[in-house]
Amino acid sequence: METFVQQILNGLVLGSMYALVALGYTMVYGVLNLINFAHGDVLMIGAMVGLSILQLLEHHFPGLPGFIQLTIAILGAIPVAMLVNVLIERIAYRRLRNAPRLAPLITAIGVSILLQTFVMAMPWWGRSPLPFPQLLSSDPIMLGGAMISQTQVLLLVLAALAMVGLVLLVERTKMGRAMRAVAENPRVAGLMGVDSNSVIVATFAIGAALAAVAGVMWGANYASITFTMGVLPGLKAFCAAVLGGIGNIYGAMIGGLLLGIIEALGAGYIGDLTGGFLGSHYQDIFAFVVLILVLTLRPSGIMGERVADRA
Amino acid sequence: MAFLTFDVHHNKRQAYVTMGLLLALMLAFPFFAAQYGNSWVRIIDIALLYIMLALGLNIVVGFAGLLDLGYIAFFAVGAYLTGLFSSPQFAALLESVVNYHPAIGESLIALFGPDIQQNGIHLSVWAIVPLAGLVAGFFGALLGAPTLKLRGDYLAIVTLGFGEIIRIFMNNLNDPINFTNGPQGINMIDPIRIFGVSLAGEAGSQSTVYIGGYGMPSVNAYYFLFLALCIATIFITSRLQHSRLGRAWVAIREDEIAAKAMGINTRNVKLLAFSMGASFGGVAGAMFGAFQGFVSPESFSLTESIAVLAMVVLGGIGHIPGVVLGGVLLAALPEVLRHVVEPAQMAMFGKVIIEAEVLRQLLYGLALVAIMLVRPAGLWPSPNREQRPNAALARDDEKEAAAV
């Protein structure tokens, strides 16, 4: 039972990070019907920038409380990630809006490689894994036999705040309405006076901001980041978006949390289930198995109405 | 590229002259290059393997229009197959089976004999090539089956997921039953033997292969083997392209619903695309394993899948000479850069500022983005978008009509 509660907690922490990234996929898919394959690398850029900010703070203002340092790192990483994602849209996607579907997909993969190369080539980042400072107290909080670190609590709170903020933005603001309109039908939205280009740019920027939050928290949680760190979370977040129903922001949140829990429970119990043949190092398999199952059984996901077949 | 034509249908003489010249050039190459050191021939050996991979992926992506991002998994399947069947690894596998399931293990030993338990299986190249093709083809169909309904982005990400799953298994299938030896990989893979001549050279011959009384470096011997396989691949894929099946692939690529309406069994045709593409990957992988003498999961990462895709895209999706060109450029260029750029930087600045590995990545990334934005059909695009036999003739007629 203790393992169960612990794995659910782990799953929620993992899942809230997936959810943040999945939102970026799903929103871009909503307005452009395109999967931003480079989104995972935006997370990586966010983490890298966050780390550099933390190092600067450490150098110039030693002794700042960890909580404040993390907040500054996140706030600093957000605009950089936004800029990167908007540039990606501008360079790799905008000219290909009417091209065959394979084209933006391939440029996206290219951009993903270029971002990784960029980080790899920077002397202050480089190719080897970088240690991410542990800023919050490492004393765990006990919850009925299960442990959760302070970083993870902060992560859950931040993710919840970001998601509530996003929902408010999409449901209550003018920009949110414009986004929903473009997602529904870009041409008609254009006729109604919505500037679809600025809506698309805003969508990419918001997605990047969420990914940056996830990136810095990822670093804080796992204490180490590298230039390839975005690939796997990015893919899994995409799986989460599909699980929830791509194009639907509530779906992305639910899918992210659910995928995190599936992964944590799977990793916790796979050894017992297979009689020791498969162990917890098969954790990374679950997301893809879920993806394949969802796409073959219910391509529209939990919340979605769109049909995957047409992608 | 007017003087280079491979269009046998419309310009027979020039096409055969081109091919003959190229063949002569390819056959002479190692003797020329070997004077500058074996590493250059080695680069081309690897490039030839990549060309085989790119040609196989071209069947899936170029002909059938199915974006497969897990293609390197088939390369891995081939390589691990050689690893298992031509190194002492099979003995380790049997031993772990005996430890884990004594009953099954004992019966397996009774079946294979005690010799295999000591030394493993040592297959010859004549068994490896068809076996690798078959097994990889089977895996290709396995991958294709659940993805038949998917298209575009979804297909790409599912295949990518499959690639990752296979890599995770390669990394972890060493316990409790040791199939792959885990992250350490399998080493001591036998070199390839053709008619009893080891292509790695016999022990004590310093990697020189003696055929009759004539000796040549081991890399040259592998070069000729890979060249032969590459030519076979080119021949088979170009025949496939102009076959009924090839036309069915193009039909599916251009408009799947129309193809279905015209009576093409899209399910079978897609599965065939996956498994035929995969089988070339498997053969290339088996050769890679034997050539290196060592396989480990590191060689089969997602980056490699993307590298092969970049070759297909850069050269010209669906156009065989283009794909070969893309393969040559993207497989050989980074290695050439490694040999040129780092020493040049050392000489100029006294230290390496941009590492060759970074440049290699940069090249792949730029190739994908720039080609899609500037020349979406590739550096050497297919001359006629439609592959109807008389499409080119029809265009000539139009030109004449316009001139009149």
Side-chain angles (χ1 to χ4, degrees):
Chain A
M1 194 59 205
E2 255 173 48
T3 1
F4 183 74
V5 177
Q6 181 69 58
Q7 294 299 1
I8 294 277
L9 264 184
N10 292 349
L12 280 178
V13 171
L14 196 60
S16 58
M17 286 192 281
Y18 291 156
L20 286 178
V21 187
L23 282 167
Y25 278 109
T26 236
M27 289 197 309
V28 167
Y29 191 88
V31 295
L32 276 187
N33 278 353
L34 168 127
I35 296 169
N36 180 9
F37 255 87
H39 197 59
D41 298 289
V42 176
L43 171 140
M44 181 270 294
I45 295 277
M48 288 286 168
V49 173
L51 175 68
S52 294
I53 292 173
L54 287 176
Q55 284 167 344
L56 283 178
L57 286 177
E58 180 64 29
H59 192 255
H60 293 288
F61 306 96
L64 269 183
F67 177 73
I68 295 179
Q69 288 194 39
L70 257 185
T71 315
I72 297 175
I74 291 175
L75 290 180
I78 286 175
V80 178
M82 283 173 145
L83 184 71
V84 168
N85 216 16
V86 169
L87 276 177
I88 293 174
E89 192 272 330
R90 192 62 201 248
I91 295 167
Y93 300 145
R94 186 169 293 185
R95 283 178 57 187
L96 297 172
R97 291 239 180 103
N98 299 318
R101 297 209 59 95
L102 214 56
L105 194 58
I106 290 170
T107 53
I109 297 166
V111 167
S112 158
I113 296 179
L114 286 179
L115 286 178
Q116 290 177 25
T117 314
F118 174 73
V119 171
M120 198 156 68
M122 287 297 119
W124 56 87
W125 286 330
R127 289 164 68 179
S128 24
L130 302 164
F132 205 94
Q134 290 308 289
L135 301 160
L136 301 182
S137 154
S138 54
D139 299 335
I141 300 164
M142 301 301 288
L143 281 176
M147 289 191 303
I148 184 166
S149 75
Q150 299 195 3
T151 315
Q152 290 173 328
V153 174
L154 177 67
L155 205 160
L156 286 174
V157 172
L158 273 179
L161 281 179
M163 286 186 226
V164 171
L166 180 73
V167 169
L168 287 178
L169 181 100
V170 172
E171 302 281 352
R172 299 280 168 84
T173 64
K174 215 174 160 193
M175 178 50 87
R177 199 193 307 163
M179 279 167 68
R180 280 180 285 145
V182 174
E184 202 60 49
N185 188 332
R187 263 195 61 222
V188 177
L191 293 175
M192 296 293 132
V194 176
D195 176 6
S196 65
N197 264 340
S198 61
V199 169
I200 289 166
V201 167
T203 310
F204 272 82
I206 296 167
L210 297 174
V213 176
V216 176
M217 293 316 292
W218 190 280
N221 194 23
Y222 293 108
S224 164
I225 59 177
T226 63
F227 69 101
T228 52
M229 67 177 279
V231 178
L232 212 50
L235 290 174
K236 288 181 182 171
F238 173 78
C239 299
V242 172
L243 173 63
I246 196 148
N248 182 313
I249 60 168
Y250 300 103
M253 297 176 196
I254 295 172
L257 292 176
L258 204 58
L259 185 70
I261 292 172
I262 292 173
E263 217 178 283
L265 286 182
Y269 289 101
I270 187 173
D272 297 343
L273 287 177
T274 57
F277 187 75
L278 302 177
S280 58
H281 33 259
Y282 285 92
Q283 184 184 6
D284 291 340
I285 282 186
F286 298 107
F288 300 117
V289 173
V290 166
L291 176 76
I292 293 164
L293 285 180
V294 171
L295 286 179
T296 39
L297 300 178
R298 189 181 154 81
S300 53
I302 299 172
M303 303 279 289
E305 294 135 41
R306 286 160 212 278
V307 184
D309 191 77
R310 270 277 151 223
Chain B
M1 303 249 181
F3 58 96
L4 282 180
T5 176
F6 297 93
D7 190 348
V8 188
H9 294 285
H10 303 113
N11 206 338
K12 211 166 196 161
R13 230 186 69 185
Q14 202 180 354
Y16 283 127
V17 168
T18 315
M19 288 182 204
L21 278 177
L22 266 182
L23 186 67
L25 209 68
M26 295 301 287
L27 287 176
F29 170 80
F31 300 103
F32 169 76
Q35 296 173 358
Y36 299 93
N38 284 341
S39 64
W40 293 103
V41 188
R42 206 185 147 74
I43 290 172
I44 298 296
D45 285 0
I46 300 285
L48 283 172
L49 288 179
Y50 271 109
I51 290 172
M52 276 174 73
L53 276 178
L55 285 167
L57 184 62
N58 183 47
I59 292 182
V60 191
V61 181
F63 296 167
L66 306 161
L67 188 58
D68 182 354
L69 286 182
Y71 188 70
I72 207 72
F74 309 122
F75 191 56
V77 166
Y80 267 91
L81 210 67
T82 350
L84 199 55
F85 287 127
S86 53
S87 81
Q89 175 64 22
F90 199 82
L93 168 66
L94 272 183
E95 195 186 314
S96 64
V97 176
V98 170
N99 290 337
Y100 195 68
H101 288 296
I104 303 177
E106 297 299 337
S107 53
L108 277 177
I109 288 172
L111 183 69
F112 289 122
D115 187 40
I116 281 172
Q117 193 194 0
Q118 292 300 320
N119 302 319
I121 299 175
H122 298 275
L123 288 183
S124 88
V125 63
W126 307 113
I128 290 175
V129 168
L131 190 67
L134 274 176
V135 174
F138 169 74
F139 271 88
L142 207 65
L143 181 155
T147 61
L148 286 172
K149 281 197 302 187
L150 309 173
R151 254 180 264 173
D153 311 351
Y154 283 87
L155 181 68
I157 205 138
V158 169
T159 49
L160 201 161
F162 265 111
E164 281 295 297
I165 289 176
I166 289 201
R167 204 177 56 82
I168 293 167
F169 272 102
M170 287 188 302
N171 232 334
N172 295 309
L173 269 183
N174 55 340
D175 185 62
I177 292 178
N178 186 356
F179 283 100
T180 64
N181 213 18
Q184 290 98 351
I186 300 173
N187 56 15
M188 289 167 66
I189 299 175
D190 302 339
I192 286 175
R193 289 177 167 276
I194 296 178
F195 300 119
V197 179
S198 164
L199 294 193
E202 298 304 333
S205 66
Q206 290 177 334
S207 302
T208 306
V209 180
Y210 291 98
I211 298 170
Y214 177 75
M216 66 174 154
S218 159
V219 282
N220 282 16
Y222 273 107
Y223 172 86
F224 290 118
L225 173 67
F226 294 169
L227 184 65
L229 282 171
C230 237
I231 291 172
T233 311
I234 292 172
F235 179 74
I236 296 170
T237 50
S238 70
R239 299 296 297 180
L240 269 176
Q241 187 179 15
H242 297 292
S243 69
R244 264 177 83 89
L245 186 59
R247 294 194 200 296
W249 284 333
V250 173
I252 287 181
R253 180 186 72 194
E254 296 299 326
D255 189 337
E256 186 171 344
I257 295 168
K260 209 170 194 162
M262 296 313 289
I264 292 172
N265 183 337
T266 54
R267 187 194 61 194
N268 291 358
V269 168
K270 277 183 176 181
L271 275 183
L272 272 175
F274 272 118
S275 82
M276 285 186 167
S279 60
F280 290 111
V283 172
M287 294 297 115
F288 174 78
F291 180 59
Q292 298 278 348
F294 170 70
V295 291
S296 80
E298 269 176 38
S299 316
F300 311 108
S301 63
L302 174 62
T303 334
E304 294 297 310
S305 271
I306 292 173
V308 181
L309 177 71
M311 291 167 192
V312 175
V313 168
L314 178 77
I317 297 180
H319 187 221
I320 293 171
V323 171
V324 173
L325 175 74
V328 172
L329 284 180
L330 281 188
L333 213 55
E335 298 301 320
V336 174
L337 285 178
R338 198 192 302 277
H339 282 72
V340 174
V341 170
E342 287 194 350
Q345 289 185 47
M346 282 303 276
M348 268 154 63
F349 310 109
K351 59 176 179 179
V352 177
I353 296 173
I354 303 175
E355 293 166 62
E357 184 56 30
V358 177
L359 272 178
R360 182 179 118 104
Q361 290 262 47
L362 191 69
L363 211 63
Y364 287 134
L366 277 181
L368 288 174
V369 177
I371 281 291
M372 273 299 129
L373 291 176
V374 183
R375 279 179 79 99
L379 286 181
W380 191 353
S382 210
N384 42 340
R385 196 163 167 280
E386 293 172 87
Q387 287 296 337
R388 275 185 290 133
N390 47 6
L393 284 180
R395 198 162 307 151
D396 287 346
D397 293 344
E398 276 166 28
K399 262 187 218 153
E400 278 171 25
V404 171

